[in-house]
Amino acid sequence: MIARLQQLLAFAGLIVIAAFFAVATPSFGTYGNVVNILFSTVVIGLLALGTTFVIVTGGIDLSIGTGMALCAVMSGTFVVTWGLPWPLGVLLAVLFGGLIGLVNGVSTARFGLPPFIATLATMLVAQGLALVVSESTPIYFNDSPGYLLLSTGTLIPEFPNAVLVLIAATAVAAVLLRRGVLGRYAFAMGSNEEATALSGIDVTRWKIAVYTLAGLFTGLAGVMISARLGSAQPATGAGYELQAIAAVVIGGTSLSGGRGSIAGTVIGALIISVLNNGLQLLSIPQEWQNVVLGVVILIAVYADMARRRAVVVH
């Protein structure tokens, strides 16, 4: 009940923020700008979808930002450098993201490393590998128009394909979290991991599966951002992990695990995109945009702590 209330508050917050910017700047509410907001939500949204599963288990994944950049670079390597057909390159890049997630899962579930430390190490490794593989230079997809259309193309007029990809990924994630075995076990592990193990569930295997799934979403985000930019930038991912985690928390997923929803995560991602877009339209300097985002994150974390205290009291 309290979790649903926080989700509703997040949605109300989204409406209030959007209404404020609509009044403050006339161009905010135009169709083109709304599509632009949805377009800019794609990468954060995809990362946040996978992160939701991890946080529901009570874990954290700091590697998604640089992991995304590495997957983008690997996609460029497969398609541009190796000359593979772009659909195959996309598939391999997404699977490469799954491999990064698998490493995180094995490190935390099999070897017992704290998720913060394990994924911090993976973050640094991914950051270094992205620079090494790309030789610190962008990889351009100028000769792969099909790859670029994956993001900027329009199956529906004036509606980027990237947004359709996010909608499809959201539907898959929602079904997996609420209807799938993986989702049920993720909630169980986040609520009480010891009791879950005593009930006969292979916690190690399912936690590895959760991190691997998050890695697959990271790989897809890497493909989408490189398709949008028209190039694989090795330093693209810095800061994305914080925005994705913020989106998850703002949407009502508890950092202590056991509670969360995909709908809330999407609302959180939209709030961040609306804030970024509105502040840019108002010509607010980037440093002040970071201040505003930081305040929003603090409010979301405080709300999560208040919710946990309320649950304990009751």
Side-chain angles (χ1 to χ4, degrees):
M1 181 66 182
I2 295 177
R4 179 62 59 89
L5 176 61
Q6 186 169 344
Q7 192 179 110
L8 291 174
L9 287 174
F11 182 71
L14 173 63
I15 298 299
V16 170
I17 294 170
F20 169 78
F21 285 123
V23 172
T25 171
S27 58
F28 179 83
T30 61
Y31 178 78
N33 191 57
V34 171
V35 172
N36 187 44
I37 291 173
L38 294 175
F39 198 30
S40 62
T41 306
V42 171
V43 173
I44 296 174
L46 289 173
L47 292 175
L49 290 176
T51 305
T52 302
F53 286 84
V54 174
I55 294 181
V56 163
T57 67
I60 196 77
D61 189 348
L62 299 178
S63 68
I64 51 176
T66 56
M68 176 186 72
L70 178 57
C71 290
V73 167
M74 293 309 300
S75 183
T77 301
F78 296 139
V79 176
V80 178
T81 308
W82 292 6
L84 297 178
W86 70 262
L88 179 58
V90 168
L91 175 62
L92 292 177
V94 173
L95 292 177
F96 193 86
L99 178 62
I100 296 174
L102 177 65
V103 171
N104 286 332
V106 171
S107 299
T108 56
R110 178 69 67 186
F111 297 111
L113 295 179
F116 183 90
I117 301 300
T119 58
L120 179 64
T122 308
M123 179 182 78
L124 296 174
V125 170
Q127 188 175 42
L129 284 178
L131 293 170
V132 169
V133 173
S134 67
E135 298 179 344
S136 302
T137 58
I139 302 174
Y140 293 96
F141 294 90
N142 296 335
D143 296 328
S144 303
Y147 186 91
L148 304 180
L149 291 176
L150 188 63
S151 176
T152 57
T154 54
L155 289 176
I156 299 175
E158 299 186 20
F159 203 75
N161 290 340
V163 180
L164 300 179
V165 171
L166 176 61
I167 292 173
T170 299
V172 171
V175 171
L176 286 176
L177 188 64
R178 283 297 171 187
R179 304 292 181 187
V181 176
L182 180 65
R184 291 202 300 272
Y185 289 170
F187 281 113
M189 289 186 286
S191 299
N192 192 324
E193 185 171 322
E194 185 177 356
T196 304
L198 290 174
S199 66
I201 297 172
D202 190 339
V203 170
T204 300
R205 186 179 69 171
W206 286 103
K207 190 176 286 188
I208 291 174
V210 165
Y211 277 92
T212 302
L213 178 65
L216 292 173
F217 279 108
T218 298
L220 183 57
V223 169
M224 297 313 296
I225 195 170
S226 58
R228 177 183 179 181
L229 297 175
S231 63
Q233 306 279 347
T236 305
Y240 273 95
E241 64 281 347
L242 297 181
Q243 295 194 47
I245 293 170
V248 175
V249 176
I250 291 171
T253 297
S254 175
L255 283 170
S256 60
R259 282 184 294 276
S261 72
I262 294 301
T265 293
V266 173
I267 293 171
L270 285 171
I271 286 177
I272 291 178
S273 295
V274 167
L275 278 173
N276 288 334
N277 181 272
L279 293 173
Q280 287 173 8
L281 290 177
L282 291 175
S283 301
I284 303 297
Q286 182 62 49
E287 51 268 30
W288 282 107
Q289 294 182 34
N290 293 337
V291 170
V292 172
L293 182 59
V295 170
V296 171
I297 293 173
L298 282 176
I299 293 173
V301 173
Y302 178 79
D304 179 46
M305 293 174 60
R307 183 180 60 189
R308 276 185 278 169
R309 283 198 294 267
V311 170
V312 171
V313 169
H314 290 86

